[in-house]
Amino acid sequence: MSLTATQITVGYRRGAPVLRQAGVIVGPGQVVGLAGPSGCGKSTLARVLAMLLPAWSGEVWVDGVLAGGARHRIPRQLRTAVGVVFQSPRRSVDPRFTLADVIAEPLRATHVPSSDAEARVRELVSRVELTGDLLARRPHEVSDGQLQRACLARALALRPRYLVCDEMTSMLDASTAAALVSEVRREVSGRRMGVLAVSHDRELLDVWADDVVSLGSE
Amino acid sequence: MTTSAHDQRHRASDTPAPDVLVDVHRLSVRIRTPLGHVVHALNDVSFGLRPGRVLALVGESGSGKSVLAATILGLLPANAQVRGRIMLHDGGESIDLLRASETRLAAKVRGRRIGLVPQSASTHLTPVRTARSQLEEAVRALTPRGHRRFGASSRGQSLTITERVRELAGHVGLDPADLALYPHEMSGGMAQRVATALALAGDPRVVVADEPTAGLDRELVHLTVDLLRALASEGRTVLLITHDLGAAERVADDIAVMYAGRMLEFGPATQLLSDSWHDYTRGLLRALPAGGLVPIPGQPPSLTDLPPGCAFHRRCPGECSGDLALTWFGERAVACR
């Protein structure tokens, strides 16, 4: 049982791979840090693990099931087993959605009945400490920190078995960062969610992660 | 022995220390939103900027830090109401920044006396032009006509625009070859250096850096703030606005902690960080990885709906003294101890 990437070679331009034979294993209830300087391919590996980017070669396994391809080619059940939070909340939400819509989107997309979805949104909102009046606002009306709280709630909405945090806290102030990390920690200890924490901040990973993998630039 | 904050500020402003470049005195900013809400962005903030020193203004997002930068640069929206005073003492004259006309600010202050190092350098640059072209434009715009010289035949003290651009590039540690690059071809560090060079094009003595390190990796953060430190050592004054206490710790001489538009604590960086007096400052330090990643419970209040009295009260673990104004103890000050 683990989220595993093995021998991943992938890039964005033909003949110029960003990663060669890279791999990482995240077990349930484990926080694995992925460190390295800008441009070393951390985010690319995170995207492969989140099944957003198909690898040129190599395999991604989710609890023993091989994920073929990426995005909608993968069965929903497998796809939703891995949640993801990106660095810039502003670039990862639809500017027309209210925060409540942002958080409820995965529930709507997977046809969760609306009464259940509402209850789940209420629960998530209290977890990430978003107060009532913020939920009716659109992204441009809230701060980065508040928006990232909504993005974390969205990522947790379907109770993913694994969470990929790609520089989740690097644009946030210390207190908001600590608040989001504690919420993720609660899911890790509570229901044994596995976490891949990608960050250039070695100090953060040393405190947060059980293990830190360094991805050096080639 | 203590003196009240009010007395201290008055003394400071009636007889400003001779070396204060920017004197911010009891500044309050309210912004009325189209929906009729009033944003209490800054409340009764005072401080001075001195040459050779870096003052870091730290606080969570929504603490009014960026509004302060906009106020100093005269870039507040038209619906802002400002109280207090900001005096710029530079080049033998004193300019009242809050009452100076837009023409005067544009012609004499922005870029020439006060430079801005922006947040997110790479998006600040024009994507369709090279670094050189943007730097040349800035130098041309900021150089009085009579002082310009062009061509190889020119001699004398003033530099040609090309020479000045090369000098600026050298100043911020930019390889002259990199000047030919477009923003998308630059690394984050290069973009940051170009943006800093642009801020220096008019040779300002006051440099305001508004979250220059947001989203950068540690190495780039160090590079950026070290560059600011170097600018201070040349006799400029630097106001570093940041939520990154690590960056502040590295370069700041003094730190001011802001919360909900108010200054809660002020003091020399080393003392303030090793022995914080305010519960909020201690909370911020505990939230850092080195402090154990312990969040401060709750969130900052909305600036449109500040609670009466201390805005930090609801999140504060300590006993409330009810004191809002800073009380000075030597060179340190705190709102509540």
Side-chain angles (χ1 to χ4, degrees):
Chain A
M1 295 288 270
S2 61
L3 175 64
T4 307
T6 52
Q7 307 210 305
I8 299 291
T9 298
V10 64
Y12 300 94
R13 250 181 294 175
R14 192 189 287 258
V18 175
L19 291 170
R20 279 195 188 108
Q21 308 281 311
V24 63
I25 301 176
V26 184
Q30 193 189 14
V31 179
V32 174
L34 187 60
S38 336
C40 74
K42 302 189 294 291
S43 292
T44 304
L45 188 55
R47 282 163 56 82
V48 170
L49 274 158
M51 294 172 275
L52 294 171
L53 183 70
W56 293 353
S57 66
E59 292 171 346
V60 176
W61 294 79
V62 185
D63 290 342
V65 182
L66 178 67
R71 296 185 179 251
H72 291 85
R73 290 174 165 239
I74 295 176
R76 179 192 293 158
Q77 208 153 14
L78 199 57
R79 213 191 315 140
T80 55
V82 182
V84 58
V85 185
F86 298 101
Q87 172 171 9
S88 166
R90 226 157 274 287
R91 280 187 289 162
S92 43
V93 296
D94 188 319
R96 300 166 300 180
F97 281 12
T98 63
L99 295 204
D101 293 337
V102 167
I103 297 168
E105 197 187 5
L107 301 165
R108 218 171 26 238
T110 51
H111 311 296
V112 173
S114 62
S115 56
D116 295 0
E118 272 169 35
R120 180 73 180 136
V121 168
R122 268 199 302 278
E123 185 193 337
L124 289 162
V125 160
S126 72
R127 291 277 209 77
V128 298
E129 296 185 276
L130 281 175
T131 43
D133 68 310
L134 290 172
L135 291 179
R137 297 204 202 163
R138 287 174 216 282
H140 71 274
E141 298 167 309
V142 301
S143 70
D144 277 352
Q146 289 162 342
L147 200 53
Q148 192 68 305
R149 285 172 192 263
C151 288
L152 177 61
R154 174 178 66 181
L156 296 175
L158 297 174
R159 297 187 181 82
R161 283 172 272 163
Y162 299 95
L163 185 69
V164 174
C165 301
D166 185 5
E167 302 277 9
M168 174 176 77
T169 59
S170 66
M171 292 179 86
L172 308 178
D173 55 66
S175 180
T176 310
L180 293 187
V181 169
S182 349
E183 188 44 45
V184 172
R185 276 176 161 170
R186 198 142 30 140
E187 297 270 320
V188 170
S189 56
R191 54 179 194 86
R192 313 226 342 117
M193 181 175 75
V195 174
L196 180 73
V198 180
S199 180
H200 58 250
D201 189 345
R202 192 57 200 244
E203 210 186 334
L204 169 73
L205 294 182
D206 285 343
V207 176
W208 183 15
D210 305 312
D211 268 317
V212 181
V213 178
S214 276
L215 207 58
S217 46
E218 287 186 47
Chain B
M1 196 182 74
T2 66
T3 49
S4 87
H6 191 83
D7 294 344
Q8 180 90 12
R9 287 202 203 105
H10 256 280
R11 251 189 293 146
S13 90
D14 291 346
T15 48
D19 64 338
V20 173
L21 274 173
V22 177
D23 183 21
V24 176
H25 179 66
R26 306 205 71 172
L27 179 69
S28 296
V29 176
R30 310 258 177 282
I31 300 170
R32 192 173 286 278
T33 67
L35 293 174
H37 299 297
V38 178
V39 181
H40 293 247
L42 289 174
N43 296 296
D44 202 11
V45 172
S46 302
F47 61 88
L49 297 178
R50 294 182 164 75
R53 294 184 80 84
V54 178
L55 169 64
L57 216 59
V58 302
E60 288 166 279
S61 44
S63 59
K65 306 186 301 283
S66 290
V67 169
L68 185 65
T71 313
I72 291 175
L73 287 153
L75 294 174
L76 281 177
N79 54 352
Q81 299 161 350
V82 185
R83 271 207 326 245
R85 204 169 60 207
I86 306 179
M87 296 300 291
L88 173 69
H89 308 286
D90 183 25
E93 62 179 328
S94 294
I95 302 178
D96 183 338
L97 292 181
L98 296 179
R99 277 150 202 95
S101 67
E102 171 56 28
T103 330
R104 187 146 186 246
L105 289 177
K108 296 199 99 164
V109 178
R110 281 197 293 268
R112 294 177 169 85
R113 298 270 164 81
I114 307 179
L116 174 69
V117 178
Q119 179 170 1
S120 177
S122 51
T123 54
H124 176 76
L125 302 173
T126 307
V128 294
R129 285 166 49 199
T130 62
R132 175 182 324 272
S133 144
Q134 300 185 47
L135 275 167
E136 282 177 355
E137 181 189 38
V139 169
R140 195 172 294 128
L142 292 168
T143 315
R145 248 162 221 293
H147 293 270
R148 279 196 220 153
R149 305 223 178 170
F150 296 98
S153 62
S154 68
R155 292 278 185 275
Q157 296 193 324
S158 53
L159 298 170
T160 66
I161 287 182
T162 319
E163 283 164 350
R164 175 74 181 130
V165 166
R166 200 175 305 137
E167 184 187 71
L168 281 169
H171 200 153
V172 298
L174 201 62
D175 190 324
D178 294 342
L179 290 173
L181 298 178
Y182 287 88
H184 74 273
E185 299 172 306
M186 296 173 199
S187 69
M190 282 182 211
Q192 190 64 51
R193 289 171 199 262
V194 175
T196 308
L198 280 170
L200 295 178
D203 198 22
R205 282 192 77 201
V206 180
V207 175
V208 177
D210 186 10
E211 296 281 8
T213 63
L216 303 182
D217 65 30
R218 228 356 83 181
E219 206 175 316
L220 261 183
V221 167
H222 288 172
L223 183 150
T224 305
V225 294
D226 290 352
L227 194 53
L228 294 175
R229 174 80 256 169
L231 296 181
S233 344
E234 297 163 4
R236 298 177 215 268
T237 187
V238 176
L239 177 63
L240 169 63
I241 294 173
T242 182
H243 62 242
D244 184 345
L245 271 169
E249 180 176 22
R250 187 172 170 98
V251 296
D253 298 294
D254 300 300
I255 293 182
V257 180
M258 301 276 297
Y259 184 78
R262 253 176 215 286
M263 200 180 281
L264 296 188
E265 186 166 0
F266 180 94
T270 43
Q271 292 179 33
L272 187 139
L273 293 171
S274 61
D275 170 31
S276 321
W277 287 351
H278 201 284
D279 281 309
Y280 178 60
T281 315
R282 285 200 284 267
L284 281 180
L285 289 169
R286 272 198 299 270
L288 293 175
L293 280 176
V294 184
I296 303 171
Q299 286 182 64
S302 158
L303 294 176
T304 55
D305 186 23
L306 287 182
C310 173
F312 186 60
H313 179 66
R314 279 182 295 186
R315 305 171 74 189
C316 186
E319 257 178 63
C320 194
S321 74
D323 264 346
L324 284 179
L326 290 180
T327 310
W328 288 84
F329 302 84
E331 51 188 347
R332 298 184 64 175
V334 65
C336 175
R337 195 180 180 186

